[in-house]
Amino acid sequence: MELGADGNYTATFFKEPADEDYTSTPPTPGEYNFDILTEKNKEVLISDVLESNYVMPVEITSYALEDNTLSIGWEETASAEAYRVRFIQMTDDGENVYFATNFIEGDTLIVENATSNINYQGTPPQPGEDYTIEVMAYNFEADAEAELFYNIQSISTARRTITWE
Amino acid sequence: MKKIFFSILAIAALITFNSCNDDETPFDADADVLVLTRYSETGPPEFAAAYFVYANKSMQDVMVITPGGQ
């Protein structure tokens, strides 16, 4: 299976699934081997082990916009080690990201001054339009002590649609 | 989904690897395979794999071979 680069940035190659790639069966645990052809035409082999523990999606239990403060709550899910929350708008071209956290812990996110802190290219959410709240749960490889970005074991995604008031 | 990962992971890659982009530096790369989980529209969970390779220099091509040989 071939990975691809994002435009001209060829120091990172990746392959992310399309909707039709999702199945009811988790990917096979074990050693995945990566065969790299460098810019100097040298072949390099590296590998990564996929473990069998993966994190399930959270249940988003509450979300509210009051007094210009957006609050989001969720039930923590087993084996999750960190969460990220995004506020996005789905478009025909993909998604516009209005707000995104780095890794956080716990089961609640409160965003004060919502109309200032949540915006896409300076434009805040518009009343009457639909937006998506997304809570992603992460767990990491067992031996991941540092550089967590490179040692993600699994990511789950839960979404709710809200109408901005 | 692409933006979810690339926005955060590419930043990390730039920080870690692009500090040594000259011919004297050996090629170095790191690979990550991970499971994505979500609930399907009908309720049950569904799964997929995502693959990333980060290097300190440009690459021409990357192939992944799964434990099943695919």
Side-chain angles (χ1 to χ4, degrees):
Chain A
M1 187 187 323
E2 191 165 7
L3 310 192
D6 186 58
N8 293 325
Y9 186 69
T10 54
T12 296
F13 272 59
F14 62 98
K15 180 175 175 57
E16 297 179 2
D19 283 342
E20 57 267 27
D21 295 325
Y22 282 83
T23 70
S24 59
T25 305
T28 305
E31 185 174 84
Y32 286 69
N33 294 295
F34 295 81
D35 190 346
I36 300 168
L37 182 63
T38 72
E39 197 176 39
K40 304 287 187 184
N41 288 317
K42 180 181 176 185
E43 186 177 20
V44 176
L45 298 174
I46 60 176
S47 64
D48 189 47
V49 173
L50 184 67
E51 300 155 10
S52 57
N53 61 320
Y54 46 83
V55 64
M56 296 297 288
V58 305
E59 180 183 355
I60 299 173
T61 54
S62 64
Y63 51 92
L65 178 65
E66 294 179 0
D67 298 329
N68 201 24
T69 297
L70 177 67
S71 58
I72 304 164
W74 60 90
E75 290 279 348
E76 294 195 65
T77 186
S79 79
E81 297 175 73
Y83 299 92
R84 291 185 66 223
V85 178
R86 300 196 314 156
F87 187 97
I88 59 181
Q89 186 174 43
M90 310 304 289
T91 72
D92 291 340
D93 297 328
E95 55 190 33
N96 296 335
V97 180
Y98 282 70
F99 178 85
T101 70
N102 206 325
F103 291 138
I104 59 175
E105 297 181 350
D107 59 4
T108 305
L109 176 71
I110 294 175
V111 184
E112 297 178 337
N113 299 316
T115 52
S116 297
N117 292 320
I118 301 175
N119 67 83
Y120 179 69
Q121 297 179 347
T123 302
Q126 299 300 302
E129 290 198 17
D130 288 341
Y131 298 88
T132 300
I133 291 172
E134 182 180 74
V135 179
M136 293 178 286
Y138 288 70
N139 70 345
F140 303 99
E141 295 175 6
D143 58 354
E145 296 177 355
E147 298 186 329
L148 295 178
F149 291 118
Y150 306 125
N151 295 288
I152 296 170
Q153 160 67 15
S154 70
I155 304 172
S156 70
T157 304
R159 288 178 168 173
R160 287 286 188 90
T161 300
I162 69 166
T163 302
W164 195 257
E165 299 173 356
Chain B
M1 291 295 287
K2 175 179 169 183
K3 289 183 181 177
I4 297 176
F5 303 106
F6 203 69
S7 62
I8 191 167
L9 297 173
I11 292 170
L14 288 169
I15 293 170
T16 302
F17 287 112
N18 271 12
S19 60
C20 46
N21 193 20
D22 59 74
D23 287 342
E24 303 300 321
T25 304
F27 178 85
D28 188 23
D30 198 355
D32 197 12
V33 52
L34 54 123
V35 179
L36 305 180
T37 310
R38 66 183 189 184
Y39 286 118
S40 67
E41 292 182 358
T42 56
E46 55 186 13
F47 309 89
Y51 311 92
F52 296 86
V53 172
Y54 314 97
N56 62 343
K57 296 185 177 185
S58 292
M59 298 174 283
Q60 292 189 54
D61 188 53
V62 179
M63 300 286 292
V64 57
I65 300 99
T66 69
Q70 296 179 321

